[in-house]
């Protein structure tokens, strides 16, 4: 459904964002999620300097909302991000993923599972997600801690990644596997003893990323402050 916009940086990185989105789309449907309503102007948008945005939302029995967004400005950059909110009745963290390609073809990313660490977090999320990152590093991808502003809400299973030109496909492969491991954790996550506490923790994650992440400023410049505010409200409402 979403169009993969042509991007020279993506070719230099050896990333096909359209194919990656299709993999995520298929992964969500295979786990029982379905397409969720999304305002038409948030689904597809064209802005200044050739910047384009395409988003799709999903929902499921255990997931309140997941949003995948592709932004590109040929030939300067391209990106793919994902935010997924488990329902507060489950002990499961918010999923964050962001992959971006620079003009040189260098790929940078961060993946994390933030917020709730109650229940069986270590077994269901921390260990399998960390192993996914370990596998990416073993394929010559560099890793460091998540940004300092995110560290205070991180659940300890995330990292920033970087890959040289021609190695970006390793990072998007890791993204798909990271999402898959998170979905498996959500499927097995126990019911929460205190859903209201989970709701508060998840909203803190959303507010932190919304205030400090790069997406809001970039979308404001590319489209408008009003559009950026509406997109952020849709994506970051837990």
């Amino acid at each position: 459904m979403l169009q993969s916009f042509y991007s020279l940086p993506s070719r230099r990185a050896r990333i096909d964002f359209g194919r990656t989105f299709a993999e995520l789309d298929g992964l969500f449907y295979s786990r029982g999620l379905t397409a969720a309503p999304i305002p038409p102007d948030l689904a597809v948008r064209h802005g200044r300097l050739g910047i384009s945005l395409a988003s799709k939302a999903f929902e499921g029995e255990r997931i309140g909302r997941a949003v995948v967004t592709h932004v590109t400005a040929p030939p300067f950059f391209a990106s793919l991000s994902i935010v997924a909110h488990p329902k507060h009745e489950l002990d499961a963290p918010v999923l964050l993923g962001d992959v971006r390609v620079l003009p040189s073809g260098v790929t940078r990313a961060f993946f994390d599972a933030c917020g709730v660490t109650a229940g069986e977090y270590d077994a269901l999320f921390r260990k399998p997600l960390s192993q996914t990152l370990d596998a990416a590093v073993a394929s010559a991808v560099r890793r460091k801690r998540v940004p300092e502003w995110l560290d205070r809400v991180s659940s300890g299973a995330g990292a920033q990644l970087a890959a040289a030109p021609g190695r970006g496909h390793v990072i998007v492969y890791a993204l798909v596997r990271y999402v898959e491991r998170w979905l498996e954790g959500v499927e097995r996550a126990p019911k929460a003893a205190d859903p209201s506490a989970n709701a508060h923790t998840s909203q803190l994650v959303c507010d932190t990323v919304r205030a400090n992440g790069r997406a809001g400023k970039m979308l404001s410049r590319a489209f408008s402050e009003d559009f950026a505010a509406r997109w952020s409200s849709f994506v970051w409402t837990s």
Side-chain angles (χ1 to χ4, degrees):
M1 179 179 177
L2 296 182
Q3 179 182 6
S4 176
F5 300 103
Y6 173 79
S7 170
L8 181 59
S10 300
R11 294 179 61 190
R12 289 173 176 162
R14 289 183 61 198
I15 291 176
D16 184 337
F17 279 120
R19 180 176 179 179
T20 302
F21 177 83
E23 289 185 64
L24 292 172
D25 187 71
L27 182 58
F28 284 137
Y29 280 112
S30 72
R31 300 288 177 170
L33 278 73
T34 58
I38 182 172
D41 69 324
L42 298 185
V44 178
R45 184 85 172 193
H46 301 282
R48 304 182 183 96
L49 303 176
I51 297 179
S52 298
L53 174 148
S55 296
K56 186 173 180 179
F58 303 84
E59 60 188 3
E61 182 180 348
R62 292 183 151 238
I63 295 172
R65 179 182 295 153
V67 183
V68 180
T69 301
H70 178 41
V71 179
T72 188
F76 303 110
F77 74 89
S79 69
L80 184 73
S81 65
I82 177 170
V83 179
H85 306 277
K87 293 189 175 179
H88 303 142
E89 292 76 17
L90 302 174
D91 281 333
V94 177
L95 172 70
L96 306 177
D98 182 88
V99 178
R100 59 193 184 281
V101 180
L102 306 181
S104 62
V106 169
T107 304
R108 293 179 180 170
F110 77 81
F111 310 151
D112 210 347
C114 294
V116 176
T117 57
E120 302 173 33
Y121 177 80
D122 282 348
L124 296 181
F125 297 100
R126 192 193 309 275
K127 184 176 180 179
L129 295 178
S130 296
Q131 288 174 340
T132 300
L133 296 176
D134 291 342
V137 173
S139 299
V141 170
R142 299 183 301 280
R143 175 170 65 179
K144 62 180 181 180
R145 291 178 65 89
V146 295
E148 184 176 351
W149 58 264
L150 184 62
D151 196 41
R152 62 180 179 267
V153 295
S154 173
S155 299
Q160 295 185 82
L161 304 176
R167 300 293 295 171
H169 62 288
V170 176
I171 287 184
V172 295
Y173 176 83
L175 171 66
V176 176
R177 298 287 77 77
Y178 200 89
V179 174
E180 185 175 25
R181 299 289 87 79
W182 180 84
L183 287 169
E184 290 173 352
V186 172
E187 287 179 354
R188 297 167 55 197
K191 291 185 177 180
D194 190 347
S196 62
N198 284 357
H200 175 77
T201 300
S202 296
Q203 194 58 54
L204 177 61
V205 171
C206 295
D207 293 344
T208 298
V209 181
R210 186 173 182 177
N212 296 278
R214 65 186 181 88
K217 294 178 181 178
M218 185 271 291
L219 294 177
S220 292
R221 291 194 298 268
F223 303 106
S224 68
E225 291 186 4
D226 175 70
F227 174 83
R230 288 187 292 110
W231 182 88
S232 295
S233 178
F234 182 79
V235 170
W236 297 114
T237 300
S238 67

